[in-house]
Amino acid sequence: MSGGRTDWQAVLEAFWRDFKPKTAEVMETKPSDVTVALDEFLSPFLFPPKEDGSDPRLCPNCGNGRLALRGGRFGAFVACSNYPDCKYTRKFAQGGSAEAENGGGDAVLGKDPATGLDVAKKSGRFGPYVQLGDGKEAKRSSIPKDAGELDLELALKLLSLPREVGVHPESGKPITASIGRYGPYLAHDGKYARLTSTAEVFETGMNAAVVKLAEAAANGGRPARGAQAPLKVLGNHPRTEAEIKLMAGRYGPYVTDGTTNATVPKSVEPEALTLEEAAQLIDARAAAAPAKKGKKKAAPKKKAAAKKAPAKKKA
């Protein structure tokens, strides 16, 4: 100790002299400025040079917009400068080279034999989809995550939905199989039954369809209590490794990791929800949950005042 001051106090004062101006500088920085700086810093990963020497930032969708890093509700992502005319997006964690390797972006799969129109795979705001033709009249269908390797045959199957399984033997009305907002399902005369996978949409036969519809009707259209099947298994939480599932709830779809349930916002299409988005919803819900309070101890009962004995009368 020297002159009433300790060495660590002197170190802290020296640190704070340099640190305080930096904190003020950071607090004044706009989020958009941070995104621009990250875009430049991460450019080698997000937009690596192409073998043909073309501009790696050129939008593969519209052909004239430039790609750049953007900030969104569920984190950073890459988008086209021509938004909203061009709605091309790419996940932040998916670099430019990975996009080419994994078949990202637009690609023509072939021609529809019936119409002669192009069948293309495209990337949209809510994930990949297939499209038949162009313009407002084009038919589109989302690509389920469990669909397997996409080719022209599978794309045409997705675009042909709903598929007619057959005619119900009792009602004489058709049974159809399709993929909806909450996953694959069967439909008959305004009644529905869930299917567990995309493959079942194309493989379920009449006998199985009639049984599934009957079981669903007997149970109010829902699986038995305690055995509710998930609409989709999204994968393991990237930070906790807990399995995350998309479920159908009484008040709408929600995601759960077995401990925390988080409602899927109405602005988000459930079938397009990614694993990271679901994990962020669960993390936010867990952080917002109130801390459990201990039970309050019951107030001790007041003892009844002892009754005074009546005074003895004098003789």
Side-chain angles (χ1 to χ4, degrees):
M1 184 179 291
S2 176
R5 289 164 52 82
T6 59
D7 291 340
W8 63 267
Q9 285 176 321
V11 171
L12 284 176
E13 287 182 1
F15 167 78
W16 187 247
R17 278 196 301 270
D18 295 332
F19 183 72
K20 188 176 181 180
K22 290 293 182 182
T23 58
E25 182 182 336
V26 170
M27 292 301 291
E28 292 175 359
T29 303
K30 296 179 181 178
S32 57
D33 294 336
V34 175
T35 304
V36 170
L38 285 173
D39 176 271
E40 183 178 350
F41 179 76
L42 296 173
S43 181
F45 167 73
L46 296 174
F47 315 106
K50 292 188 175 182
E51 293 182 0
D52 59 3
S54 60
D55 184 0
R57 285 183 180 264
L58 187 67
C59 177
N61 187 39
C62 66
N64 55 34
R66 287 183 59 76
L67 303 180
L69 190 65
R70 296 284 185 269
R73 181 175 183 177
F74 295 106
F77 63 97
V78 173
C80 178
S81 59
N82 284 338
Y83 179 85
D85 294 330
C86 177
K87 293 181 173 60
Y88 176 86
T89 60
R90 192 174 75 209
K91 294 179 182 178
F92 168 72
Q94 181 178 312
S97 58
E99 178 188 19
E101 292 170 7
N102 298 327
D106 295 357
V108 176
L109 302 172
K111 289 187 180 293
D112 176 20
T115 63
L117 297 174
D118 284 342
V119 178
K121 172 184 177 293
K122 292 179 175 288
S123 296
R125 186 175 183 182
F126 298 110
Y129 63 94
V130 288
Q131 177 174 307
L132 174 63
D134 293 305
K136 293 182 179 180
E137 302 301 320
K139 189 171 184 179
R140 300 174 180 85
S141 177
S142 297
I143 304 173
K145 290 188 176 181
D146 66 342
E149 186 176 352
L150 183 69
D151 55 16
L152 179 61
E153 181 182 0
L154 177 56
L156 289 172
K157 282 185 176 182
L158 293 172
L159 289 164
S160 69
L161 294 177
R163 161 187 169 246
E164 185 170 325
V165 179
V167 176
H168 197 287
E170 296 178 2
S171 68
K173 296 182 178 180
I175 298 174
T176 59
S178 192
I179 302 171
R181 181 176 182 182
Y182 303 117
Y185 67 93
L186 291 170
H188 164 253
D189 196 20
K191 306 294 182 181
Y192 302 89
R194 293 200 196 104
L195 297 174
T196 58
S197 68
T198 298
E200 283 194 339
V201 174
F202 304 108
E203 297 171 0
T204 299
M206 271 296 298
N207 291 338
V210 171
V211 171
K212 286 179 181 291
L213 286 164
E215 290 176 346
N219 196 37
R222 296 183 297 274
R225 186 177 178 86
Q228 183 178 2
L231 300 176
K232 186 185 296 184
V233 176
L234 298 171
N236 293 339
H237 194 299
R239 291 169 285 283
T240 67
E241 293 300 321
E243 186 176 63
I244 297 178
K245 298 177 182 178
L246 175 66
M247 309 292 290
R250 182 178 180 183
Y251 301 106
Y254 66 94
V255 289
T256 180
D257 63 355
T259 302
T260 302
N261 298 342
T263 301
V264 177
K266 291 183 179 180
S267 59
V268 176
E269 290 292 333
E271 68 270 18
L273 192 70
T274 66
L275 174 61
E276 179 57 30
E277 289 171 349
Q280 289 186 29
L281 288 172
I282 289 174
D283 291 347
R285 182 68 185 87
K292 294 182 178 180
K293 297 181 179 178
K295 292 183 178 179
K296 292 183 178 179
K297 293 183 179 180
K301 294 182 179 180
K302 294 183 178 179
K303 292 183 179 180
K307 293 183 178 179
K308 293 183 179 180
K312 290 183 179 180
K313 294 183 178 179
K314 291 182 180 181

